[in-house]
Amino acid sequence: MTESTALLKVRRDIEVDRCTKDIRAIISASGVTRSALSKVKVRLLELAAHQELFNTNIFPVKDGDDTSSLYLLSEDENHEYAFYVVSEIHGNMSPPHDHTTWAVITGVEGEELNKFYERLDDGKEKGLAKISESRTEVVSVGTGVALMPDDIHSIHCLVEQPTLNFHLYGLSIEHLPNRKSFNMTSGTYKYFPANPHIYK
């Protein structure tokens, strides 16, 4: 590790710590509401502006990871406020899924299409679910999306430019065993396991 790289890491750790402290204060004061998550998004976008600390050269898609890599920046001792960088390239996508915790995603580099869905059934039949696409939003530099625990979305990296996003979760994805992945064609869902390859 060169000295300049070491100094960048120190600066990055300081900025991440400041950001997460501010976000804890927002949630502590207001609870988990859409209004509070909008404020969290603004704070994450401020951090994302430090592109000398967060870019795809520092956080590349690792060899062997196919189309995306997941890096953990920080989390509390009880696994709350789990803060990740997601690096992705053209072709990366996820199926429609929920998180079972709040989440905020903001753009750092590149562009990612987010599709959002409404659940149409009452959720009483285990393994069955009907969803319908309701809207789309693009996450890119200066933009982001906020999700409540039951919100459903999918992600699609359609551009050639490498893409980097912040993902902040109320609880670590390694501790969310009940996330659901939805199949629109069959009208079913299954539980969505955490990515087993998280760089720390």
Side-chain angles (χ1 to χ4, degrees):
M1 180 181 288
T2 66
E3 183 177 4
S4 60
T5 301
L7 289 174
L8 282 174
K9 184 180 186 308
V10 170
R11 287 181 55 205
R12 183 165 52 248
D13 289 346
I14 289 170
E15 293 297 336
V16 166
D17 185 60
R18 286 175 177 167
C19 182
T20 53
K21 283 180 178 176
D22 289 345
I23 288 169
R24 286 190 206 100
I26 292 168
I27 298 297
S28 177
S30 304
V32 178
T33 65
R34 292 200 185 275
S35 176
L37 295 185
S38 292
K39 295 176 183 177
V40 170
K41 181 175 70 174
V42 170
R43 184 63 181 88
L44 286 177
L45 288 171
E46 291 174 359
L47 182 65
H50 292 278
Q51 292 199 345
E52 77 283 5
L53 304 178
F54 306 97
N55 57 66
T56 53
N57 291 324
I58 298 172
F59 298 100
V61 174
K62 297 271 194 178
D63 290 341
D65 275 359
D66 195 17
T67 55
S68 69
S69 293
L70 181 63
Y71 298 83
L72 178 67
L73 293 177
S74 70
E75 66 178 329
D76 288 357
E77 289 184 2
N78 56 0
H79 307 296
E80 294 182 338
Y81 297 94
F83 192 4
Y84 305 91
V85 171
V86 178
S87 186
E88 57 186 332
I89 57 175
H90 180 268
N92 187 55
M93 64 162 291
S94 75
H97 62 278
D98 63 14
H99 294 103
T100 69
T101 188
W102 60 267
V104 179
I105 302 169
T106 56
V108 181
E109 284 186 19
E111 184 176 295
E112 176 191 271
L113 177 67
N114 278 242
K115 297 181 180 181
F116 291 84
Y117 305 82
E118 296 290 340
R119 188 161 181 178
L120 306 178
D121 64 301
D122 59 13
K124 291 182 178 179
E125 294 191 61
K126 188 172 183 179
L128 299 180
K130 293 181 180 180
I131 62 171
S132 175
E133 185 179 329
S134 58
R135 61 187 174 91
T136 62
E137 289 192 42
V138 173
V139 173
S140 59
V141 177
T143 68
V145 294
L147 300 100
M148 295 292 281
D150 292 335
D151 287 346
I152 301 169
H153 80 141
S154 61
I155 62 173
H156 309 264
C157 188
L158 305 176
V159 296
E160 295 299 329
Q161 179 186 357
T163 295
L164 197 73
N165 291 332
F166 288 153
H167 285 229
L168 181 66
Y169 294 87
L171 188 65
S172 161
I173 61 172
E174 295 171 286
H175 296 83
L176 299 173
N178 296 317
R179 291 192 307 164
K180 294 181 286 296
S181 170
F182 298 88
N183 186 314
M184 291 182 69
T185 303
S186 64
T188 60
Y189 71 83
K190 60 183 179 180
Y191 291 111
F192 194 31
N195 184 330
H197 305 296
I198 301 175
Y199 300 98
K200 301 179 179 180

